[in-house]
Amino acid sequence: MPYTLWSRNRLLGETDLDFVYREDRFRCGWLHPSDLGERLMPTATGVAPALRAMWALGPDATARADVLSAVDQEQALELELRGPDGAVIPTESIAIIDTHHLLSIARQAPEPEELLDELDAEEEAEIEALLAGHGWDGEPVDFEPPSGGEVELPRYQIQARFMEGGWMT
């Protein structure tokens, strides 16, 4: 894996940054943590769960403090990305995402039919027009994982946004 993630000169993991290309200087991929990285992942991924808890609770001083604490802890890691040659790659931001957290959110989401029941005719027409403009013909898309069953995804993802005019392949 040609790219590595570091925190204060400590190796946290490796990635290929091989997800489908995203515009605006973003690269993403699976992150495979080192032993130390595995132990620090709760700190690196803590902001999203704290934000979700604050959103669920509504205005709450303790939840807000939890978010601020999670942000401080993540920033204290001083994450940096290094290229295949070991040189630091200048980034605007690096985010580590816990796939298990994302999947737990998906399991809590209402079914699409439930959401559609809440729309009025004008909202439904607007959504259909948007989808038609992107080539969706209204027919459901059948998706079956390549193995024909459940797919075991790696636990962590990394998203990096590179500096304007900086390194990027």
Side-chain angles (χ1 to χ4, degrees):
M1 298 202 182
Y3 307 97
T4 51
L5 178 69
W6 295 78
S7 168
R8 300 173 177 234
N9 288 318
R10 301 172 299 178
L11 177 65
L12 297 187
E14 300 178 335
T15 180
D16 283 332
L17 293 177
D18 60 353
F19 285 7
V20 174
Y21 175 76
R22 289 178 50 190
E23 295 178 3
D24 202 20
R25 304 181 320 274
F26 276 99
R27 294 282 302 270
C28 306
W30 295 118
L31 176 66
H32 304 280
S34 64
D35 289 341
L36 174 63
E38 193 68 54
R39 291 194 311 267
L40 291 175
M41 283 302 111
T43 301
T45 63
V47 175
L51 282 169
R52 181 136 179 97
M54 187 172 77
W55 173 81
L57 290 172
D60 180 86
T62 302
R64 185 177 182 334
D66 290 345
V67 170
L68 295 174
S69 176
V71 169
D72 286 345
Q73 290 177 35
E74 179 192 50
Q75 289 177 346
L77 290 173
E78 298 178 10
L79 298 175
E80 65 182 24
L81 191 64
R82 296 186 187 176
D85 62 356
V88 174
I89 300 170
T91 57
E92 284 184 20
S93 63
I94 298 173
I96 310 302
I97 295 89
D98 184 337
T99 304
H100 291 182
H101 174 69
L102 290 180
L103 292 172
S104 75
I105 293 169
R107 285 189 288 274
Q108 296 169 7
E111 292 296 320
E113 295 79 24
E114 294 173 32
L115 294 173
L116 291 175
D117 290 343
E118 298 174 13
L119 299 177
D120 62 30
E122 185 178 328
E123 292 169 326
E124 278 190 53
E126 184 178 345
I127 290 171
E128 287 179 22
L130 284 170
L131 292 174
H134 292 287
W136 187 62
D137 62 6
E139 291 299 314
V141 176
D142 288 328
F143 173 77
E144 185 173 323
S147 65
E150 287 289 320
V151 174
E152 182 68 30
L153 300 173
R155 174 81 189 253
Y156 302 104
Q157 302 171 36
I158 182 171
Q159 298 178 357
R161 183 172 189 200
F162 299 103
M163 297 293 285
E164 182 80 43
W167 178 93
M168 185 145 157
T169 59

